[in-house]
Amino acid sequence: VQLQASGGGLVQAGGSLRLSCAASGSAFSINVMTWYRSAPGKQRELLALIFSDASTNYADSVKGRFTISRDNAKNTVYLQMNSLKLEDTAVYYCNAAGVRFGHTPRSYDVWGQGTLVTVSS
């Protein structure tokens, strides 16, 4: 299973961006997809996750501003980011965990390559 993240860029404070993360591969299911971010000098931060039943959870730092959603048919998760702040500047990563089917089903946990979000004043 591979993840391809996209949608990062430069945006002014108060603006919006939507990140996408598409999973590809064969014969797999996704249990949970998660967005993280990593900023210089800070620990990696879990932002939002969405389970296969569409239940979600958010970090307090983004609750009410960011929305995670998924398109199961496209194996894609989105992160809609509104009211962006300077402190949202970071590299954003997606993660997926689930099961690869086959003769011997196996769990997997994979990361996308990261997409840079820069919020300017």
Side-chain angles (χ1 to χ4, degrees):
V1 179
Q2 294 183 324
L3 300 180
Q4 180 69 44
S6 60
L10 176 64
V11 62
Q12 284 192 323
S16 298
L17 276 177
R18 189 177 82 154
L19 306 182
S20 300
C21 178
S24 62
S26 61
F28 67 97
S29 67
I30 302 172
N31 293 335
V32 57
M33 297 188 81
T34 309
W35 283 101
Y36 293 82
R37 68 186 176 191
S38 182
K42 296 184 179 180
Q43 285 189 320
R44 186 178 61 190
E45 181 183 13
L46 187 154
L47 302 176
L49 52 83
I50 185 166
F51 294 93
S52 56
D53 64 358
S55 60
T56 59
N57 211 336
Y58 295 91
D60 288 342
S61 59
V62 303
K63 197 174 294 183
R65 298 189 299 124
F66 292 8
T67 302
I68 190 171
S69 60
R70 64 191 284 175
D71 184 333
N72 289 332
K74 296 181 179 179
N75 288 324
T76 298
V77 65
Y78 304 97
L79 187 69
Q80 177 66 44
M81 305 186 296
N82 298 328
S83 302
L84 284 162
K85 305 176 182 179
L86 297 179
E87 53 263 40
D88 292 319
T89 295
V91 178
Y92 286 68
Y93 298 91
C94 56
N95 173 276
V99 176
R100 286 194 189 92
F101 302 116
H103 182 69
T104 305
R106 294 183 177 182
S107 62
Y108 69 85
D109 186 320
V110 295
W111 291 84
Q113 82 283 11
T115 184
L116 176 63
V117 172
T118 303
V119 183
S120 65
S121 58

